Amino acid sequence: MDSYVVQREVLNEVRLEEVAQRDTSTTGPSVGERLKEFSRCSLPKLKKTVQRWVPVLDWLPKYPFRENILGDVASGCSVAIMHLPQGMAYALLASLPPVFGLYTSLYPVLVYFIFGTSRHISIGTFAVISIMVGSVTERLGPDSNFQVNNGTNTTGSVDIDARDAYRVKIACSLTLLVGIFQILLGMVKFGFVVNYLSEPLVRGYTTGSACHVFVSQLKYIFGVTSSRYNGPLSLIYTVVDICRRLPQTKIPELVVSLVALAVLIVVKEINGCYSKKLPFPIPIELIVVIVATIITHFGGLTTLYHIDVVGEIPSGLNAPQAPDVNLFSQIIGDAFAVAIVGYAINISLGKTFALKHGYKVDSNQELVALGLSNSIGACFQCYSVTSSLSRSLVQESTGGKTQVAGVISSIFVLIIVLKIGSLFEDLPKAVLSTIVFVNLKGMFKQFTDVPQLWRTNQVDLLVWLITFVSTILLNLDMGLAVSIGFSILTVIFRTQLPRYSILGQVPGTDLYLETETYKQAKEIRGIKIFRSSSTIYYTNAEMYLDALQEKCGIEIGKLLTAKKKEEARVKRQQEKQKKKEKKLAKKQKRTNYQSTGSFTLTESQRKEPTILNENGNGNDYPSHMTETKGQINWAYQHDAATLETDSDTDNSQIEDEAKGNANQKTHSIILDMSTTNFVDTVTIKTLKNIFRDFGEIDIDIYVTGCQACVIEQLEKADFFSNSIPKSRAFVTVHDAVLHIQKQNLPEKEITCITQM
């Protein structure tokens, strides 16, 4: 068994500063120096700044062409094959024409190539973001606003062209505002905001979003038309509406959906099982799209069975145009939600691949890059983008090394948009829906988090469940707000309700562990060592004091009250004794007969003796005094002795009780503050009150394990003073225990504690 022995002196904070030579100078440059440095311009600094904001200028000149080009080209082709079906399918989720999904797979990818810092993620359409955009476009552009009356037909039909044009306008405005939010957050270094989206929250939210995506595609699978609902419980209403319309199911579309779904599932499983043997995954999505389009076109399924198809896909690119900023006031809340969710998905994937391949992703620059992708893309009629897990995995697994793969995929998408897009006009929407279904598999597998979190951390399980349920019931925007609020509340409750414990020493070591957890941890006589599992601050400072009294078995209020009553009783007794002494002194003065008086008693004076002085004046004695000198002296001595005996009895009784209590009570308390990383004004006041109140009942307080930043904060707040000397702060619990034992116990009774 390995062991070690360290011999050193007992160190408090005063001695530690001398031994370790603490640097008390101001750390870091001042504000003025920082402003001066920021305003200073030089060529190397300008170059570094430009490379930081435009990372492609840094890594592209160093691009190892021979080593990476083949992998990037192969990866780009594989990702482009996925962009085509996913772009069109996810555009339906956003309630937009499919061609706009292809636009979204083109422009933002090129922008991210210039400004992004991740080498492996694939930017473009994503199911969760698409459904969030779709909820906005359908809320602001419902079918009811575009109905056209057909003569005597009161119901009318929907002007699809006008509706789609307005929804594209809404989506572009939303995307621009999303990009503005992301750019601003990135410029103010607000990338850490994603830290408030814990992994259980993100996974619960994406699982709930997957349910929204699943339900939104059911109408294409069954070939029915359902109403679109918004707001809380919209998902429930949609499911009920689709179930009500199931008798109207179009059997041909259902058959097409089931066949496509079966083929996709089988081949996807083959790709997963033989991923190491296959040079690249079988592009089954593209194959299904091509085959379904050919069968529908040459089989005349549209005419015979009225199968709903994609429709016209215009060739070429649209001229850029500015989005309508007048819509900002109606979509500002949705835009912020999309900005945060999109960034959270993007940075989580980016950091995963960066950790795997050993490079760094700049979280703030990722915000700027994603914001520019959205802002510039909005001017080319794209909707909000983020990274896709499925495409990113393909890009990484097929040999992609840099974002050059993204450029290659964009070139292929551009060719499709310019020349080939019109060939997919007869593609059934049901096939696109099955592609969406299959790609939701990874999200639905997140349901396995529930049993795992139940075993590991039930608070995280509660966050997951609350996020999932709120997303299902309250829709995507309100669900996200509720889940973030609940997640923050769990953090507050964890710090408000920490674990308080009494520590004991493991015999023969300098280890101090919880006595409730470790059987060998024994408390040291007369010393209580108290520790909180979290930082002490204003929300839990009062609970800290209550727990300290409870764990130490000391009710400071009652003890202070008892002490005040005892002091008042002693004071009254002393005043009473002074009065008696003063009264006896007067009596003694009147009985000073040895030098001045003699007795002359008459019959009338025998009951009340009188002393005659030289002037013949007499003083009456109380009735219990006798005539004789000895009897008078005895009476006086008896009264004085009685008073002294009573006083001595009371004093000795108090002293005995005090000694008895001293032998039984705690004389020192050590506050282990090793878990505290900051202190606020409430904490400092609480600690001062602890030192003061416990000091009044003769209990010494010590603090140990304070970090350097905590000591600095205590010094700035003038915590240390004559009543609370800095020598009461020790480096470790063991140092404080050794000091207390040396101060409070006789040398022969000091417990033998090994100095490690």
Side-chain angles (χ1 to χ4, degrees), residues 357-400:
H357 294 278
Y359 63 92
K360 185 178 179 181
V361 171
D362 187 342
S363 59
N364 294 308
Q365 180 60 27
E366 282 296 297
L367 259 176
V368 174
L370 199 60
L372 288 172
S373 299
N374 282 317
S375 300
I376 297 175
C379 299
F380 292 91
Q381 297 184 324
C382 303
Y383 67 90
S384 299
V385 297
T386 187
S387 55
S388 167
L389 176 59
S390 59
R391 293 196 306 271
S392 298
L393 289 174
V394 169
Q395 181 168 323
E396 187 250 355
S397 62
T398 54

Side-chain angles (χ1 to χ4, degrees), residues 20 23 60 68 72 102 139-140 215 237 259 356 369 468 493 524 548 551 557 572 695 704 713 727 737 745:
D23 185 9
L60 189 58
N68 293 348
D72 284 339
L102 297 179
R139 186 184 76 239
L140 299 181
V215 171
Y237 295 143
V259 172
K356 181 178 180 180
F468 175 77
F493 287 143
I524 300 174
L548 173 63
K551 290 290 184 179
R572 288 195 303 269
T704 65
Q713 292 169 3
S727 57
V737 169
L745 296 178

Side-chain angles (χ1 to χ4, degrees), residues 107 279 751:
Y107 296 106
T751 304

Side-chain angles (χ1 to χ4, degrees), residues 251-438:
I251 301 302
E253 290 204 19
L254 180 60
V255 172
V256 170
S257 301
L258 294 178
V259 172
L261 192 62
V263 173
L264 287 169
I265 291 175
V266 171
V267 179
K268 286 273 188 179
E269 289 298 320
I270 293 175
N271 283 337
C273 295
Y274 298 96
S275 59
K276 296 183 179 179
K277 297 182 180 180
L278 294 173
F280 56 87
I282 300 173
I284 187 58
E285 294 174 342
L286 181 62
I287 294 173
V288 168
V289 166
I290 294 174
V291 172
T293 303
I294 294 174
I295 293 175
T296 304
H297 179 73
F298 291 101
L301 300 183
T302 306
T303 305
L304 293 175
Y305 301 107
H306 304 287
I307 291 179
D308 193 11
V309 296
V310 168
E312 182 183 0
I313 298 180
S315 299
L317 301 174
N318 295 328
Q321 57 183 5
D324 186 3
V325 297
N326 295 323
L327 295 172
F328 281 3
S329 60
Q330 303 177 56
I331 59 178
I332 185 169
D334 302 284
F336 188 78
V338 173
I340 296 301
V341 173
Y343 172 65
I345 296 171
N346 189 77
I347 195 64
S348 60
L349 278 178
K351 287 188 174 181
T352 299
F353 288 116
L355 183 63
K356 181 178 180 180
H357 294 278
Y359 63 92
K360 185 178 179 181
V361 171
D362 187 342
S363 59
N364 294 308
Q365 180 60 27
E366 282 296 297
L367 259 176
V368 174
L370 199 60
L372 288 172
S373 299
N374 282 317
S375 300
I376 297 175
C379 299
F380 292 91
Q381 297 184 324
C382 303
Y383 67 90
S384 299
V385 297
T386 187
S387 55
S388 167
L389 176 59
S390 59
R391 293 196 306 271
S392 298
L393 289 174
V394 169
Q395 181 168 323
E396 187 250 355
S397 62
T398 54
K401 302 295 183 182
T402 65
Q403 283 299 326
V404 170
V407 176
I408 301 299
S409 69
S410 297
I411 294 174
F412 277 86
V413 173
L414 179 62
I415 295 173
I416 294 171
V417 171
L418 294 177
K419 300 297 181 181
I420 309 176
S422 59
L423 299 178
F424 296 98
E425 291 180 353
D426 289 330
L427 174 64
K429 289 183 178 180
V431 173
L432 294 178
S433 296
T434 58
I435 293 174
V436 173
F437 275 7
V438 173

Side-chain angles (χ1 to χ4, degrees), residues 621-632:
Y621 279 91
S623 59
H624 65 274
M625 290 188 178
T626 59
E627 302 95 324
T628 62
K629 173 181 176 181
Q631 288 173 324
I632 293 173

Side-chain angles (χ1 to χ4, degrees), residues 214-227 229 235-249:
F214 181 86
V215 171
S216 69
Q217 297 303 292
L218 288 176
K219 61 182 180 181
Y220 299 112
I221 297 294
F222 293 103
V224 298
T225 57
S226 64
S227 302
Y229 298 93
L235 184 69
I236 308 299
Y237 295 143
T238 303
V239 173
V240 172
D241 187 48
I242 291 176
C243 291
R244 190 187 303 118
R245 298 174 187 265
L246 284 180
Q248 306 172 14
T249 300

